[in-house]
Each structure stands twice: as structure tokens, then as C-alpha cells.
Amino acid sequence: MCTRLFWLLSATMLISSCKLMDKKDTKDNSARFSGIPDRKWWKEAVVYQVYPRSFKDGNGDGVGDLKGITSKLDYIKSLGVDVVWLNPIFSSPNADNGYDISDYRGIMKEFGTIQDFDELLKGMHERGIKLVLDLVANHSSDEHEWFKQSRSSRTNPYRDYYHWWPAEKGKPPFRPGSFEVDGSGWRFDSLTNAYYLHYFSYKQPDLNWENPKVRKEIFDMMKFWFDKGVDGFRMDVIPFISKDTTFPVITQKDIDEKYNGDWSQYLASGPHLHDYLKEMNSEVLSKYDVMTVAEGAGVTAATAHNFVDADRNELNMLYHFEGVSLGYLPGQFKHMDPKGYDLVQFKEIYSKWDSVFEYKGWGTIYLGNHDQPRMLTRWGNDAPEFREASSKLLTTFLLSMRATPYYYFGDELGMNNIKFDKIEDYRDIESINMYKTIQNSGGDLQYFLEGQKIGARDNGRTPFQWDSSANAGFTTGTPWIKVNPNYKTINVAAEESDPNSTLNYFRKMVKLRKANPVLIYGKYELLDKNNPHVYAYTRVLGKEKWLVILNFSKETFEYKIPATVNDGQYELMINNITQVPEIKDNKVKLSPYQAFIIAIK
Ligand code: GLC
Ligand code: CA
């Protein structure tokens, strides 16, 4: 496989590890997977998430679009990924960048037309790439025709497509509205003298899933996209769909006592949630070879199996929030603990989630997405001297765990947080409205803005960096959000020609995972769990035993390997820096953010 790779001519370290990979690759790959039970394409896939607004602008209006993505399919193909997950591309007034859908079968005007979509899907399938869309069905836009009808009168046939609370009953019991300045999930609508429910902004009214007509509408819409050939759905806040429509009073004390202080756990425990997912499965999902992944908001290790176990006949995978929530100060809005996060806890969380799915179900792993800051800034170190090594280390981690990796576009380039100084630079409803909330309560706005430099979602939404031309080659117009000024050096064009770039490292790591079932299905075991700097683990499948060593610190030190590796009795499979790890007497010198994987003989 390395014959096609120009980096062969580069550092000896790379040459030697490529040779090693060649050896493995010459064996028939399917034979290497034989005997593995419950194989599924979505377990073996690497998913690449594309935020369409920021990937590539095809018509110069400053907003990424479908034609732009189609024009870059060869790039996506070159990464070696199997599946692309696109954030919502449907008609939307964009209160929350497409997570407020006004027509589930139409394409957002700024993104193009249904013909552009058909072309994109065709281009992907021609290249052997699958396409997963975003199902945003907990809520619609308030500009959806259903809601317009629903709000028009209390007797309108669409009235019970949404949740209404008549004002003559008094104020409805509190429910959270995530993106609202006053934090309330109910909005008063004078037209019919009633409140409607919205767990996010008032522009995102919650659909009433207790109404069978609503479920049928959603299921028909899913079939529409599956019949077009779409390969799956990522399901936005799907655990929230079912509600106790008596809307009992829930106090903060209830949440603290029963749900560990976490409202989302309450929202994810609606009475008919799993009935509806089963119905969705039997009505729609079971009829297609597609993958599903729930945004596991409010899902805990104790409830996860209910969503994904094969014998439940519901969904395939979910992603949890425990990992990405680590390190923020409690009770504050996404403000990092100045000490950073604790690696020992990080290891505990990811090891726990591995064990959750060890015998049943299947996990996912991610460190960044459109709701998260850039993984390099949040989990690595974006100082220039550590950017490359720590970015490659995180890539090594994501692609060597037993779980389907969801890799966020731009992370392969080592893109980092833009760290805006002013609220005016932000576009995200979450940051803007939280700013207003803090302003209204007389809070410390400067402190908030400092925190947002690490935690804000817009950090992960800046335009993809293609080259060093104006606006990083993303658009010929004015980008909808600022481009990170580091695009002059951090971009695809520069990294293509550098054999040691983070981009080429990502490609190499994807290949390594795809070619070696031990990285996909092998048993995971955490070693040296209390070490505050090193994350070490083995992956074992049959006779193969691979050891992953990740130095999450900026220190150089000698490390005692917590497994038996006899001198010379190992093969180096990948290494993220030029210094080749030499293991002698079970010890190895680790450089800052060094990551390597060996196969133990
Ligand atoms: C999910 C999406 C997020 C969106 C929210 C409301 O968390 O990932 O981007 O703002 O749901 O739809
Ligand atoms: Ca455009």
C-alpha cells in the first residue's frame, strides 16, 4: 500500500513503519477478519463529519454549500474514510444553523437544490463513500408549515403536532430552553393565549411525538431520504422526543436527587421514548441497510444499552457526553478549570465506556464536532511547538479505540480554536444568548468571553482551510464567520506536500485501522491507570497484541512500559514524531506528545 505514497522518500522512521504495514497488508485482508462475530460495516467504518456551512463555498456567497462539497469529494476520498455525516442541509431560517428545519424534504436555499443533493450523493457512492444525514426530529422550526398551522388556532388540525399549555391554567411548570436568554422552555403565544414547548430556542418548537400522525410524518420523511439512497441518520437529541404530557412540576431538587443535577437526563427519560424508537425501527430502519447514531444527550452508562443493543431493535450507536464534559468548572457555562483536565479521569471515562459495550452493543468515539471546540485546543496543545505532535496523538487515540470513530473535518489539518475576543465575532445562538443572559444578571462578561475562547461551539465552525489564498480558499466572497488567521500555514495544500503533516498522518492512521482488525475489534485493556501523563493500553485479538502509548504531556521522560516487551521483539506500526521509540529493558524515552503503536511479538 505504501507504493502510492510519496512520503516513502522521507524520514527513515516513516519508511520502516510503512514497510511493516506493507507486510501486514499483503495478507488477504478479508481473511484477517474471518471468524469475527457480529461484523457490521458501520463498526468498521471511519466517519468523517462535514459541517456544510464551512467546508467549501461553490458560488462565492460566503457560505459553504453542496456544490462546494461535491467539488471536494476527491479530497474526502483521499482521506480513506468510509462515511460522511453532514450536519442538517434542509430548508431552514437558520436560527441554529439548520437545526431548525422548515421543510424536511427541501434543501436549504444557501446550500443549493435537490439536484445538487442528488449529484453529491451520486459522487459519494461512485467513490464508495456512504452518506449519513442529520435527523432533527425532536423539534422543527417555528417557520415550518406544521407550526404555522398549529399556532393559528386551538382547533386547527395541526394543533397537536406540538405541545401547547393553555394560559388559563396559569404558567406551565418549568422546563429548560437551552438557547433562551431567560432559560425558559415555554414561550407565550398571544394569538391563541397559550404557551408552546421548546427545549432549545423559541424558534425550535418541540414536535409532539405522542401524536401518531407526527410519528408517521417523520417516518415517511425518513423513507423519502432512504429511498434516495442515503445510508443513515445521525439523530439530533433523539432521547428527548417523548414527553410526559401532563407536564408535572419538576424542581431543581428532583433533578439533583434523581438525575445527578443533569436536566438532560430527565429530558431523556420520557415515558414512551423506547416505544417510538422500536416503532421507527420496525416501520423504517429495519427495511434498509443503514446506520443510525443517536446524539446521546442525557444518556448514561446505565441507560445506553436500551438504545443500541441489537436485540432491542432500536438504533445502532450513540455518542455520550461524559468525555467532552470533562474539565469544565462545575456550575459555570463552559469555563475550563485553569488546571486543565485530569488525564486519569479522562482514561477512566473512556475505559468505562469501552467496558459498557464490551459484550453487547457497540460504542463510538469523538473528541470534536460542531457542538464542541477544536479537539487540538481542548484536548491537545495548540502552542506552535506542540501543535503537530499533540494533534497526531489525538488522532492516534481516536483511531485506536474499540468504537466507531467520528472524526471532525479540519482536525486532520490540526485546526485549532479561533478564540474570538469580541461577542460581535460570534455567530452561534448559544454564545450570543448566553452573553445576554450574563449581561442581564450583571455578570462578568470578560470572564465569560475568556471561557468561550476554549469552550465556544463557533471555534469548531470556522471555514475549512484549503490553501494560503484569500479566505483559505474557502470562498471568493465574505465568509459567514471569520477564517482562522493561521490558514496561511495550516491548510490542505501545504500539508499535502509535507510527508510529515498531520493530514498525512491521519491518512496513515486510517489505513492502519482499516487494515488491522485488532484495532477495530480487539479487546481493550487500560494499563498504568494512575499515570497522570501517559495513556497506555493494549488491543488484543487472537494471537495479536498491540500496545498503544500516548504521552499526553509536554514533558520528555523515560517511561517504564507497563507490559512485557522484549528487546527487539516488536514491530513499530506507527509513530507520530521523527524520533523512533527504542524499547530497551522495557523502558522507552518519550518526547512531548509522543504517540506510537507497536505489535508485540
Ligand atoms: C444538538 C445539535 C446542536 C443543536 C441542538 C438543537 O445538540 O448537535 O448543534 O444546537 O441539538 O437542535
Ligand atoms: Ca455558497
Side-chain angles (χ1 to χ4, degrees):
M1 69 185 243
C2 278
T3 46
R4 280 179 294 135
L5 304 179
F6 49 81
W7 65 48
L8 256 181
L9 298 171
S10 157
T12 38
M13 172 269 304
L14 284 168
I15 296 172
S16 59
S17 57
C18 271
K19 275 189 189 144
L20 295 169
M21 284 166 60
D22 272 337
K23 252 191 266 166
K24 296 270 169 197
D25 272 8
T26 47
K27 295 179 198 164
D28 172 18
N29 215 29
S30 58
R32 308 188 68 225
F33 281 84
S34 74
I36 293 172
D38 301 328
R39 285 186 63 192
K40 292 277 184 279
W41 62 264
W42 43 266
K43 294 182 180 174
E44 296 171 16
V46 175
V47 180
Y48 182 69
Q49 182 190 349
V50 170
Y51 196 64
R53 237 184 148 66
S54 298
F55 192 55
K56 175 71 188 171
D57 177 14
N59 65 352
D61 67 353
V63 177
D65 47 47
L66 300 187
K67 275 203 156 79
I69 302 171
T70 304
S71 72
K72 293 295 186 184
L73 288 179
D74 286 338
Y75 171 76
I76 296 177
K77 176 73 188 161
S78 80
L79 299 175
V81 299
D82 309 276
V83 176
V84 167
W85 154 28
L86 279 188
N87 292 94
I89 54 167
F90 315 101
S91 304
S92 167
N94 279 312
D96 184 21
N97 289 3
Y99 283 97
D100 47 323
I101 295 173
S102 53
D103 175 5
Y104 286 97
R105 297 172 194 225
I107 300 292
M108 192 191 299
K109 266 200 222 79
E110 291 166 296
F111 287 179
T113 62
I114 197 80
Q115 287 75 29
D116 295 337
F117 174 81
D118 292 340
E119 225 168 274
L120 172 64
L121 183 62
K122 188 164 160 271
M124 286 195 179
H125 285 170
E126 277 167 7
R127 289 168 180 79
I129 302 167
K130 293 184 191 285
L131 176 61
V132 164
L133 295 181
D134 216 309
L135 182 81
V136 190
N138 172 68
H139 46 269
S140 73
S141 163
D142 66 340
E143 297 181 33
H144 194 294
E145 190 54 34
W146 299 336
F147 191 72
K148 288 187 193 162
Q149 294 287 334
S150 182
R151 87 182 333 166
S152 67
S153 89
R154 288 194 182 189
T155 53
N156 186 284
Y158 286 90
R159 184 65 170 182
D160 56 359
Y161 269 45
Y162 295 86
H163 296 284
W164 291 95
W165 178 275
E168 57 273 18
K169 281 171 67 179
K171 276 201 157 187
F174 176 79
R175 292 294 180 273
S178 284
F179 301 149
E180 284 305 306
V181 178
D182 67 1
S184 167
W186 292 101
R187 186 168 180 99
F188 179 66
D189 203 36
S190 58
L191 203 61
T192 56
N193 192 39
Y195 297 83
Y196 66 86
L197 183 72
H198 59 84
Y199 283 169
F200 294 89
S201 86
Y202 79 92
K203 299 280 296 169
Q204 296 162 292
D206 281 44
L207 282 159
N208 178 10
W209 277 70
E210 319 305 318
N211 179 351
K213 282 194 218 144
V214 168
R215 301 201 296 276
K216 180 156 189 327
E217 297 264 19
I218 299 295
F219 298 160
D220 286 350
M221 173 271 284
M222 292 172 74
K223 286 182 204 155
F224 168 81
W225 291 104
F226 285 146
D227 289 339
K228 272 191 167 295
V230 163
D231 303 288
F233 275 115
R234 173 266 184 189
M235 301 190 179
D236 192 61
V237 289
I238 197 78
F240 294 178
I241 53 177
S242 173
K243 276 102 182 165
D244 177 347
T245 52
T246 64
F247 293 107
V249 171
I250 309 286
T251 62
Q252 187 59 44
K253 194 161 158 272
D254 298 327
I255 299 298
D256 292 345
E257 283 170 5
K258 289 195 215 144
Y259 303 101
N260 204 15
D262 178 3
W263 266 97
S264 66
Q265 286 183 34
Y266 168 73
L267 302 184
S269 55
H272 301 294
L273 164 62
H274 291 288
D275 300 333
Y276 300 156
L277 293 178
K278 283 189 185 354
E279 189 182 327
M280 180 196 278
N281 188 295
S282 68
E283 293 293 313
V284 188
L285 301 172
S286 59
K287 304 190 168 135
Y288 302 87
D289 178 20
V290 291
M291 63 161 260
T292 51
V293 54
E295 183 191 23
V299 179
T300 64
T303 56
H305 283 284
N306 298 340
F307 291 80
V308 300
D309 284 357
D311 54 10
R312 297 274 303 181
N313 293 315
E314 296 186 24
L315 306 177
N316 301 137
M317 296 175 269
L318 64 85
Y319 64 85
H320 64 83
F321 281 73
E322 225 177 312
V324 293
S325 305
L326 179 69
Y328 290 123
L329 289 171
Q332 293 190 27
F333 185 72
K334 291 188 178 175
H335 207 98
M336 273 299 285
D337 188 324
K339 293 197 294 286
Y341 67 94
D342 177 351
L343 185 71
V344 173
Q345 285 177 16
F346 182 93
K347 294 192 279 187
E348 253 169 42
I349 292 172
Y350 288 100
S351 302
K352 177 179 89 182
W353 278 93
D354 176 83
S355 72
V356 167
F357 299 119
E358 178 161 11
Y359 301 110
K360 231 179 168 199
W362 185 255
T364 64
I365 194 148
Y366 72 106
L367 289 174
N369 64 31
H370 66 292
D371 291 330
Q372 300 295 329
R374 280 285 166 192
M375 74 169 182
L376 172 62
T377 306
R378 179 77 159 79
W379 304 106
N381 188 331
D382 65 7
E385 65 273 35
F386 300 126
R387 186 185 73 84
E388 280 200 21
S390 69
S391 162
K392 292 171 187 169
L393 167 129
L394 298 173
T395 293
T396 315
F397 169 64
L398 288 170
L399 292 164
S400 65
M401 290 291 281
R402 174 168 52 183
T404 297
Y406 286 71
Y407 199 90
Y408 192 51
F409 84 129
D411 284 345
E412 76 275 24
L413 305 178
M415 283 177 65
N416 65 336
N417 279 12
I418 191 161
K419 305 177 188 169
F420 290 134
D421 286 317
K422 319 188 287 289
I423 193 66
E424 291 75 24
D425 285 333
Y426 283 98
R427 298 289 174 266
D428 180 12
I429 183 172
E430 181 180 75
S431 296
I432 294 169
N433 284 357
M434 188 50 67
Y435 184 89
K436 288 183 194 152
T437 304
I438 292 168
Q439 197 167 38
N440 290 348
S441 68
D444 187 340
L445 292 169
Q446 213 44 50
Y447 179 78
F448 168 73
L449 286 173
E450 281 310 305
Q452 289 289 284
K453 288 182 184 179
I454 305 292
R457 306 198 295 183
D458 273 346
N459 285 302
R461 298 178 177 184
T462 65
F464 192 78
Q465 297 169 199
W466 292 102
D467 57 41
S468 61
S469 70
N471 295 318
F474 163 68
T475 180
T476 53
T478 307
W480 71 276
I481 189 169
K482 281 187 179 162
V483 178
N484 193 317
N486 66 19
Y487 77 86
K488 295 247 156 149
T489 49
I490 299 167
N491 62 62
V492 174
E495 296 196 23
E496 285 286 3
S497 56
D498 173 5
N500 290 322
S501 64
T502 59
L503 170 59
N504 282 321
Y505 187 86
F506 173 65
R507 289 174 170 144
K508 196 171 151 191
M509 192 61 215
V510 170
K511 276 192 179 132
L512 189 66
R513 181 179 180 89
K514 301 283 305 171
N516 290 284
V518 62
L519 285 183
I520 301 169
Y521 292 108
K523 184 180 163 58
Y524 161 96
E525 193 185 343
L526 175 66
L527 308 173
D528 199 10
K529 70 183 171 88
N530 293 320
N531 189 305
H533 299 308
V534 178
Y535 194 162
Y537 46 97
T538 49
R539 301 294 312 277
V540 176
L541 187 68
K543 287 193 203 105
E544 283 188 89
K545 180 173 188 173
W546 289 29
L547 173 67
V548 182
I549 302 279
L550 310 167
N551 175 11
F552 270 74
S553 82
K554 54 184 179 196
E555 314 300 331
T556 301
F557 53 93
E558 190 178 70
Y559 182 60
K560 168 132 184 20
I561 301 220
T564 306
V565 184
N566 296 321
D567 295 357
Q569 296 300 298
Y570 61 89
E571 287 179 280
L572 180 64
M573 307 314 297
I574 197 161
N575 174 31
N576 72 338
I577 58 169
T578 37
Q579 183 204 317
V580 180
E582 287 285 355
I583 301 174
K584 275 236 149 38
D585 303 330
N586 251 37
K587 290 190 202 111
V588 67
K589 188 178 150 223
L590 291 180
S591 296
Y593 298 104
Q594 183 160 16
F596 66 87
I597 303 179
I598 57 171
I600 299 175
K601 285 186 191 162

